[in-house]
Amino acid sequence: MLNQSNPQLIRRHQVELMTGLKRSSIYGRMNPQCKQYDPDFPKPVSLSTGGKGSVAWIASEVNAWIEGRIAASRFSGKR
């Protein structure tokens, strides 16, 4: 779900505000060994050349994940 013409990178604090999740929950959703793991949660992009250090998320991917959670909660209980 990448808008390649103008991708916007957002930092963790913005992801927290958008999703309502805190730091530990965000990283828990990215960790396969955590009970909070969500394989659909967007992966961050490294902002440093060495691969360690600052990261950011692609805003459109975070928005798509949020939309997916809304859809799942709206339609999962209907029969």
Side-chain angles (χ1 to χ4, degrees), residues 7 17 19-20 25 32 36 43 55 60 63 69 71 77-78:
L17 292 174
T19 63
S25 293
Q36 295 176 325
K43 307 297 184 263
V55 297
S60 61
N63 282 322
R69 298 305 309 143
K78 294 188 178 182

Side-chain angles (χ1 to χ4, degrees), residues 71-79:
S73 71
R74 296 288 188 254
F75 301 113
S76 64
K78 294 188 178 182
R79 297 173 212 255

Side-chain angles (χ1 to χ4, degrees), residues 5-79:
S5 63
N6 190 20
Q8 181 182 12
L9 296 177
I10 57 175
R11 300 300 296 267
R12 191 193 79 237
H13 179 70
Q14 291 169 292
V15 175
E16 289 179 12
L17 292 174
M18 291 171 69
T19 63
L21 300 172
K22 292 296 185 185
R23 179 186 182 278
S24 60
S25 293
I26 290 169
Y27 286 104
R29 280 168 173 72
M30 296 186 304
N31 181 356
Q33 280 128 23
C34 182
K35 66 180 180 177
Q36 295 176 325
Y37 178 64
D38 180 351
D40 297 325
F41 194 80
K43 307 297 184 263
V45 174
S46 176
L47 300 179
S48 60
T49 56
K52 300 232 183 221
S54 297
V55 297
W57 283 259
I58 299 168
S60 61
E61 292 180 358
V62 174
N63 282 322
W65 181 82
I66 292 168
E67 290 171 7
R69 298 305 309 143
I70 291 169
S73 71
R74 296 288 188 254
F75 301 113
S76 64
K78 294 188 178 182
R79 297 173 212 255

